[in-house]
Amino acid sequence: LAQLGRFSEAAEHLKAAEEHLLESLEMARSSADSEREGRAWGNLGRVYFIAGRWEEAEKSLQLALLVNRLTGSAASLARNHLSLAYLYLHRGRLEDSRMEFGLAGRIIESEKLQREKAIYHEYRGEAFFWQKDWVKAEEEYRLALELWQRLAPQSGLVTHVERRWAELLFALG
């Protein structure tokens, strides 16, 4: 029962996040704040992803990318390509995932986006993990860990990558 209660609480938090983001989206549209609209679409896509609402997540992330292209927001553009790559990875759409990783990677390198570069390597590590390409997964996790240790050494992001790396080592036996 306690676990069921935690699931219910998580669902309530997701619903509240969705409502907040829909309000934010409406405010951004009414004030013609395109950058805020792009952020809201991207965050809404990530909430839908977490909730398992795949089609809504994909649509929201694609709308975020459209707005990001219009505003020229490179960091948001990279993050939303990464989120779409991750979504496609979870859906088993590996070619689409690779394409989105490629688009994100080019933006990240050209704009020198270090935070997004760490996310890029972490997500690619997971992609290689699922494909049982242990060598590439470990290399991607190592790169992500190095970046997070430099960018945010006290954050949970470091331990998150360490946990994924530990799962890799466990899978290897």
Side-chain angles (χ1 to χ4, degrees), residues 25-84:
L25 185 58
E26 193 55 43
M27 289 187 331
R29 284 178 166 171
S30 67
S31 64
D33 186 344
S34 297
E35 285 199 30
R36 184 175 179 184
E37 180 182 350
R39 283 192 308 272
W41 276 123
N43 288 329
L44 190 59
R46 285 180 275 286
V47 166
Y48 287 149
F49 172 82
I50 292 166
R53 294 164 59 183
W54 311 118
E55 291 80 17
E56 291 165 289
E58 182 176 9
K59 179 183 174 192
S60 295
L61 289 167
Q62 288 173 342
L63 286 168
L65 288 169
L66 178 65
V67 174
N68 296 151
R69 281 186 205 98
L70 295 173
T71 63
S73 178
S76 291
L77 195 58
R79 279 192 299 273
N80 290 317
H81 277 298
L82 287 171
S83 293
L84 202 50

Side-chain angles (χ1 to χ4, degrees), residues 92-106:
R93 294 170 54 182
L94 299 183
E95 280 305 312
D96 290 332
S97 180
R98 274 192 276 279
M99 182 186 74
E100 293 297 332
F101 274 128
L103 292 167
R106 285 191 284 285

